[in-house]
């Protein structure tokens, strides 16, 4: 009994183990026919415990043809083209086999026309129809791989871009006819996709790739914000006008702008209209000196916008001026502009702003406002630390008036660089510090003032502050001959920035002292030069007046007598002084003078010094008197008596006939000998004594001075008469 129970237990255990390792029976077989590609069947279960080989047996052509395909551990198997006759019925049987045994499925039958699956169609375009709103037209092409003997049907779905909610189209599409999607929103983007199937098949193709289209918009119904920038007038009256425009607002129902049309013509000549087209939002016109009207429109696929028109005034025209004041207020996130006006009829304004930069192509911005006297600029309209020129223009119809402008910073900061300074006009106690203005791009704010810091070596630092309009500062009460260090700081509302420091040294003496000393020295040199010049010009006269040259009668060549022993002629035109010939001075007293006063003055000038220097000692005079008394020789006391070697006494020329040393030779050398002889020697009388003519001084009486200055000449006998005048003695 016990043995039987043990046998049956082992049998059951071993039997269950063997059944557990057999492959499962393939079930739920499904087949799809991809036209001209493959025939694929799938089944379940999808996974076996033990390695399993599946064999799919196909019978077709009414049972006359059989083949199979195998797969390992995969629950699908395919038959490939071209061994895919269409249309036919296929019988399919799947066999699963492993090491423990095999299992076969039931035979299934498949009609290919019912299981054929084609490719999705191709969407060509999704576009709006011109002039039709709220609609998109979808153009497509039939899918590839559709049996020629079968017809097909397609479905469409669409959704708005950025949305996941698809909307199907119930209507079926056939024969590649375009399909119109209606009921769409204006100027919106939509994604469209399609799928198709053969009418006899139960399998739809996969969805095609999405194609995006935009519905048509409305015709533009808003005008542009048109602005102009007037250039300077040229000598010929012409000027350049830059037109700027932008769309007043973004309308989602208006399609993208394709271009702009510009018309302009003289105000009184509408027939001379000119047209230009551009895709940019600016245009330059070259106009004359007269007034012009300018209009700009923009166009889209749906139409053309209304005209925006401005009037360009003539060159010499005076536009409207009505803005009285303009103020700017800054806050953390915006800039507010307020203005005041006295013109109540003006209710439209243009606010223009652009950076204050030294460039030609400035990026200008503008905005139209109405029914207000203020404007608020957002933070994104401005760049911090940059100066802007803000102007407000009144607009009346198509005319633009005179603007009122102001400069403003949206946000101020510390200057990037300090002023570049230097010292000038340095003296002992003062100096002038000058600096250059900081470039606008580096200011980063309005300069409120400048502070000059200066300190001497081992001294205390001082500071002076000047207004922003002043670019120099005079330092006073400095120490002489001292070195100072200076730096200049530029200040804004946000803070200050120091410039590069530099040194200078004061002078030992001041500029005034140096100038005074230079003036004294220069004046002295100037007067000295004048004295030298005067001296050189008056030197001959001064010399004659102060130190006149007195002729030496002992060395004279004048012969004052006549006779047989007369050896030489009288040379009145020259005298010999120290061995040199001197020219006879023009001041020789003539034999006959106009008055006694002239003769006396001339005698004083010519003989005063000579008489003083030629004074003969009293002893010699006494000896001469003794000789006269003894009768050894004959002397004549009169200045007009001369003693000749022949022993005769005759009267000679007066003492004024003596020739001064400064007379020139030329004045008398040209005279003939006979004229000279006749001028100075008179014919003798019966007694052999020359009688001079009555002279002017004899009539007027002898000057007392001359009475005391009688000249006595002594003539000595000489054998050869080579030196007729041997000795001259003068007695006071």
């Amino acid at each position: 009994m016990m043995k039987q129970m043990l046998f049956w237990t082992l049998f059951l255990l071993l039997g269950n183990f063997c059944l557990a390792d057999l492959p499962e029976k393939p079930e739920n077989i499904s087949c799809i026919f991809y036209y001209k590609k493959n025939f694929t069947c799938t089944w379940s279960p999808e996974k076996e415990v033990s390695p399993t080989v599946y064999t799919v047996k196909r019978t077709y052509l009414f049972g006359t043809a059989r083949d199979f395909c195998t797969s390992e551990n995969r629950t699908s198997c395919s038959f490939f083209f071209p061994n895919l006759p269409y249309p036919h019925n296929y019988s399919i049987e799947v066999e699963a086999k492993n090491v423990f045994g095999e299992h076969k499925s039931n035979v299934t039958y498949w009609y290919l026309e019912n299981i054929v699956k084609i490719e999705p169609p191709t969407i060509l375009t999704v576009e709006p129809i011109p002039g039709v709103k709220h609609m998109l037209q979808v153009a497509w092409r039939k899918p590839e791989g559709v049996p020629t003997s079968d017809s097909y049907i397609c479905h469409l779905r669409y959704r708005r871009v950025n949305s996941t909610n698809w909307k199907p189209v119930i209507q079926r599409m056939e024969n590649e006819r375009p399909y119109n999607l209606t009921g769409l929103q204006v100027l919106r983007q939509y994604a469209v996709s399609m799928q198709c199937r053969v009418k006899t098949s139960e399998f739809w193709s996969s969805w095609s790739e999405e194609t995006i289209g935009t519905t048509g918009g409305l015709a533009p119904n808003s005008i542009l914000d048109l602005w102009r920038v007037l250039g300077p007038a040229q000598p010929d009256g012409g000027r350049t006008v830059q037109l700027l425009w932008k769309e007043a607002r973004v309308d989602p129902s208006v399609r993208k702008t394709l271009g702009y049309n510009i018309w302009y013509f003289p105000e009184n000549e509408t027939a001379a209209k000119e047209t230009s087209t551009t895709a940019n939002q600016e245009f330059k016109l070259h106009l004359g000196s007269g007034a012009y009207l300018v209009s700009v429109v923009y166009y889209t696929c749906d139409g053309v916008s209304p005209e925006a028109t401005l009037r360009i005034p003539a060159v010499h025209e005076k536009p409207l001026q009505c803005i009285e004041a303009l103020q700017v207020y800054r806050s953390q996130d915006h800039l507010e502009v307020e203005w005041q006006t006295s013109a109540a009829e003006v209710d439209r304004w243009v606010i223009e702003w652009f950076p204050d930069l030294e460039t030609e192509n400035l990026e200008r911005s503008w905005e139209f406002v109405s029914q207000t006297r203020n404007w608020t600029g957002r933070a994104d309209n401005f760049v911090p630390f940059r100066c802007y020129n803000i102007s407000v223009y009144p607009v009346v119809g198509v005319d633009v008036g005179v603007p009122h402008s102001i400069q403003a910073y949206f946000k101020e900061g510390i200057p990037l660089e300090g002023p570049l300074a230097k010292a000038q006009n340095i003296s002992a106690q003062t100096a002038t510090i000058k600096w250059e203005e900081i470039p606008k791009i580096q200011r980063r704010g309005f300069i409120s003032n400048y502070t000059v810091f200066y300190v001497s070596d081992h001294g205390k630092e001082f500071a002076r502050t000047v207004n922003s309009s002043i670019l120099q500062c005079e330092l006073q009460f400095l120490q002489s001959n001292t070195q100072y260090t200076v730096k200049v700081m530029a200040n804004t509302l946000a803070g200050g920035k120091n410039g590069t420091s530099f040194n200078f040294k004061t002078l030992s003496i001041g500029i005034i002292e140096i100038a005074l000393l230079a003036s004294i020295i220069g004046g002295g040199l100037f007067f000295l030069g004048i004295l030298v010049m005067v001296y050189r010009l008056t030197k001959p006269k001064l010399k004659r007046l102060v130190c006149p040259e007195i002729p030496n009668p002992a060395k004279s060549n004048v012969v004052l007598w006549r006779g047989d022993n007369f050896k030489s002629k009288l040379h009145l035109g020259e005298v010999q002084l120290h061995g040199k010939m001197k020219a006879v001075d023009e001041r020789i007293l003539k034999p006959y003078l106009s008055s006694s006063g002239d003769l006396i003055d001339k005698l004083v000038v010519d003989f005063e010094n000579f008489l003083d220097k030629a004074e003969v000692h009293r002893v010699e005079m006494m000896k001469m008197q003794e000789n006269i008394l003894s009768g050894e020789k004959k002397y004549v006391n009169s200045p007009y008596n001369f003693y000749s070697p022949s022993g005769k006494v005759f009267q000679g020329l007066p003492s004024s006939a003596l020739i001064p040393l400064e007379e020139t030779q030329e004045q008398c050398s040209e005279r003939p000998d006979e004229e000279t002889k006749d001028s100075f020697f008179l014919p003798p009388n019966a007694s052999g004594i020359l009688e001079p003519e009555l002279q002017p001084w004899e009539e007027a009486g002898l000057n007392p001075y001359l009475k005391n200055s009688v000249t006595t000449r002594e003539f000595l006998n000489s054998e050869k008469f080579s030196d007729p005048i041997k000795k001259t003695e003068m007695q006071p």
Side-chain angles (χ1 to χ4, degrees):
M1 188 68 181
M2 291 295 295
K3 291 182 178 181
Q4 290 180 350
M5 292 177 64
L6 182 60
F7 172 77
W8 286 107
T9 302
L10 293 174
F11 177 77
L12 292 174
L13 292 174
L14 292 174
N16 291 333
F17 177 76
C18 293
L19 291 175
D21 290 338
L22 290 176
E24 293 185 3
K25 180 181 177 178
E27 295 178 341
N28 300 324
I29 298 173
S30 176
C31 295
I32 298 177
F33 173 55
Y34 296 94
Y35 183 70
K36 290 185 178 182
K37 287 185 178 181
N38 61 70
F39 178 82
T40 301
C41 295
T42 61
W43 58 89
S44 61
E46 296 180 357
K47 188 176 182 181
E48 293 285 349
V49 177
S50 300
T52 304
V53 177
Y54 296 97
T55 301
V56 179
K57 298 178 181 180
R58 181 182 65 160
T59 301
Y60 59 99
L61 294 178
F62 306 103
T64 60
R66 293 182 177 83
D67 58 1
F68 63 90
C69 67
T70 60
S71 64
E72 295 182 0
N73 299 321
R74 290 186 302 108
T75 58
S76 66
C77 190
S78 299
F79 298 90
F80 296 95
F81 186 82
N83 295 325
L84 299 174
Y86 180 84
H88 280 283
N89 292 332
Y90 290 172
S91 61
I92 299 298
E93 182 183 23
V94 180
E95 180 182 75
K97 184 177 182 181
N98 61 14
V99 295
F100 298 104
E102 61 182 24
H103 231 143
K104 292 183 179 180
S105 68
N106 298 330
V107 178
T108 57
Y109 300 92
W110 303 94
Y111 185 59
L112 296 184
E113 291 181 348
N114 295 335
I115 61 173
V116 62
K117 187 175 183 179
I118 60 179
E119 294 293 325
T122 301
I123 299 176
L124 300 177
T125 59
V126 178
E127 293 180 348
I129 298 175
V132 181
K133 308 297 185 295
H134 312 289
M135 187 179 70
L136 287 175
Q137 188 177 70
V138 181
W140 56 284
R141 185 175 59 213
K142 71 177 182 178
E144 296 180 358
V146 178
T148 57
S149 59
D150 296 335
S151 60
Y152 58 90
I153 57 175
C154 298
H155 285 170
L156 181 147
R157 65 177 182 175
Y158 67 95
R159 65 179 177 87
R160 287 183 57 182
V161 175
N162 301 326
S163 176
T164 58
N165 185 18
W166 287 97
K167 294 181 180 181
V169 177
I170 299 176
Q171 183 179 357
R172 296 181 178 182
M173 298 178 294
E174 297 178 353
N175 302 326
E176 297 183 338
R177 291 195 301 267
Y179 184 79
N180 294 330
L181 282 174
T182 60
L184 305 179
Q185 296 182 6
V186 176
L187 205 63
R188 291 291 186 271
Q189 289 184 327
Y190 289 88
V192 179
S193 182
M194 293 181 64
Q195 66 175 184
C196 297
R197 69 175 176 86
V198 177
K199 287 184 178 181
T200 60
S201 176
E202 60 183 69
F203 294 108
W204 289 88
S205 69
S206 59
W207 290 100
S208 67
E209 294 184 358
E210 297 179 5
T211 303
I212 297 176
T214 304
T215 57
L218 300 176
N221 56 3
S222 61
I223 64 174
L224 296 170
D225 283 345
L226 178 61
W227 189 234
R228 85 291 182 275
V229 178
L230 303 180
Q234 303 298 324
D236 59 353
R239 53 192 165 156
T240 300
V241 178
Q242 184 179 13
L243 298 179
L244 305 172
W245 59 83
K246 61 182 178 180
E247 296 182 14
R249 62 184 183 276
V250 178
D251 189 351
S253 62
V254 178
R255 193 185 294 271
K256 182 181 178 181
T257 301
L258 300 180
Y260 304 91
N261 292 330
I262 302 101
W263 296 284
Y264 58 97
F265 54 89
E267 187 175 22
N268 299 324
E269 300 179 12
T270 57
K273 180 184 292 186
E274 297 187 28
T275 304
S276 299
T277 302
T278 181
N280 301 321
Q281 291 186 330
E282 61 179 85
F283 192 79
K284 282 189 177 182
L285 300 177
H286 299 281
L287 306 179
S289 60
Y292 281 78
L293 291 176
V294 179
S295 300
V296 180
V297 299
Y298 69 99
Y299 57 90
T300 66
C301 295
D302 304 311
V304 180
S305 70
E307 294 183 359
T309 304
L310 278 181
R311 180 178 179 272
I312 308 300
V315 173
H316 302 292
E317 183 178 341
K318 294 183 178 180
L320 172 66
Q321 185 173 2
C322 62
I323 301 177
E324 299 176 352
L326 182 64
Q327 294 179 336
V328 176
Y329 303 97
R330 292 180 299 176
S331 66
Q332 188 67 23
D333 57 350
H334 67 274
L335 188 88
E336 186 174 355
V337 180
E338 292 185 359
W339 60 92
Q340 299 176 2
T341 178
S342 59
E345 69 276 8
V346 181
D347 198 31
R348 192 163 180 249
W349 314 87
V350 174
I351 292 86
E352 180 190 58
W353 68 95
F354 57 90
D356 186 17
L357 301 176
E358 297 178 355
T359 57
E360 295 183 359
N361 299 324
L362 295 175
E363 184 179 353
R364 294 177 180 265
S365 302
W366 74 98
E367 188 172 326
F368 282 84
V369 295
S370 300
Q371 299 179 356
T372 184
R373 297 293 186 271
N374 60 68
W375 173 80
T376 301
R378 301 181 302 274
D380 54 357
N381 292 332
F382 303 95
V383 178
F385 315 125
R386 179 176 293 181
C387 182
Y388 283 87
N389 293 319
I390 302 176
S391 302
V392 178
Y393 294 79
V395 179
V396 180
V398 295
D399 292 318
V400 180
V402 177
H404 199 293
S405 302
I406 194 173
Q407 287 189 332
Y409 282 87
F410 179 75
K411 184 178 181 181
E412 294 193 39
I414 300 174
L416 295 177
E417 298 291 339
L420 182 62
K422 59 182 178 180
Q424 296 181 350
N425 302 329
I426 302 173
S427 64
Q429 294 183 346
T430 61
T432 301
I433 307 301
K434 292 187 178 181
W435 56 89
E436 298 178 359
E437 195 173 15
I438 301 175
K440 295 180 180 179
I441 194 64
Q442 297 181 354
R443 295 177 193 172
R444 306 182 72 191
F446 291 115
I447 304 298
S448 57
N449 54 60
Y450 295 96
T451 303
V452 180
F453 299 94
Y454 60 101
V455 58
S456 63
D457 294 345
H458 312 294
K460 182 181 178 181
E461 185 178 52
F462 296 92
R464 289 196 61 186
T465 301
V466 296
N467 194 278
S468 59
S469 61
I470 301 175
L471 299 178
Q472 66 179 20
C473 178
E474 185 177 1
L475 305 181
Q476 299 178 348
F477 308 109
L478 303 178
Q479 298 179 4
S480 61
N481 196 23
T482 303
Q483 180 168 308
Y484 284 85
T485 301
V486 181
K487 59 182 177 182
V488 181
M489 181 172 65
N491 302 303
T492 64
L493 293 179
K497 180 68 174 181
N498 287 323
T500 304
S501 61
F502 65 95
N503 300 325
F504 74 91
K505 189 175 183 180
T506 55
L507 302 178
S508 299
I509 58 176
I511 300 297
I512 298 177
E513 291 81 356
I514 295 176
L516 182 59
L517 182 60
S519 301
I520 294 175
I521 296 176
L525 294 176
F526 178 74
F527 285 113
L528 181 60
I530 292 177
L531 293 176
V532 171
M533 185 181 299
V534 171
Y535 171 74
R536 288 189 173 275
L537 293 175
T538 60
K539 180 180 178 181
K541 296 181 180 180
L542 291 175
K543 185 175 181 180
R544 285 194 298 269
L545 293 175
V546 179
C547 300
E549 295 183 4
I550 305 303
N552 189 354
K555 297 181 179 181
S556 176
N557 292 330
V558 178
V559 180
L560 301 178
W561 55 87
R562 299 174 61 182
D564 299 333
N565 297 327
F566 185 73
K567 299 292 185 179
S568 61
K569 294 181 179 181
L570 177 66
H571 299 279
L572 297 177
E574 59 183 15
V575 296
Q576 184 175 3
L577 179 64
H578 302 295
K580 298 181 181 179
M581 299 302 295
K582 295 292 183 176
V584 179
D585 189 74
E586 294 179 355
R587 297 177 301 168
I588 297 177
L589 292 176
K590 302 300 179 181
Y592 303 99
L593 298 177
S594 61
S595 65
S596 61
D598 295 339
L599 177 60
I600 294 170
D601 293 340
K602 193 66 177 177
L603 289 173
V604 171
V605 173
D606 290 339
F607 297 106
E608 183 177 1
N609 292 330
F610 170 77
L611 294 175
D612 292 338
K613 292 182 179 180
E615 183 179 359
V616 181
H617 294 88
R618 185 175 301 275
V619 176
E620 295 178 352
M621 293 299 297
M622 292 175 65
K623 186 182 293 186
M624 291 175 60
Q625 293 176 1
E626 292 176 358
N627 293 332
I628 293 173
L629 295 176
S630 61
E632 294 178 0
K633 295 180 182 180
K634 293 180 180 181
Y635 295 91
V636 181
N637 293 331
S638 174
Y640 307 114
N641 294 331
F642 295 88
Y643 177 78
S644 66
S646 60
K648 294 180 180 182
V649 178
F650 62 90
Q651 290 182 340
L653 293 174
S655 60
S656 62
L658 294 177
I659 301 173
L661 296 175
E662 297 173 354
E663 297 301 314
T664 61
Q665 180 181 359
E666 288 79 2
Q667 293 177 346
C668 296
S669 60
E670 296 177 358
R671 301 177 182 177
D673 294 339
E674 294 297 327
E675 183 181 353
T676 305
K677 183 188 309 181
D678 296 339
S679 300
F680 287 91
F681 298 98
L682 299 175
N685 54 17
S687 60
I689 300 175
L690 295 174
E691 293 289 344
E693 295 181 0
L694 183 64
Q695 300 299 327
W697 59 80
E698 293 178 355
E699 297 178 0
L702 188 64
N703 190 291
Y705 174 78
L706 294 179
K707 291 181 179 181
N708 297 328
S709 303
V710 178
T711 303
T712 302
R713 288 183 172 90
E714 180 181 1
F715 297 93
L716 302 178
N717 291 328
S718 175
E719 295 178 359
K720 298 181 179 180
F721 295 99
S722 61
D723 192 2
I725 300 175
K726 296 295 184 179
K727 184 177 181 181
T728 303
E729 295 179 355
M730 292 180 293
Q731 182 178 354

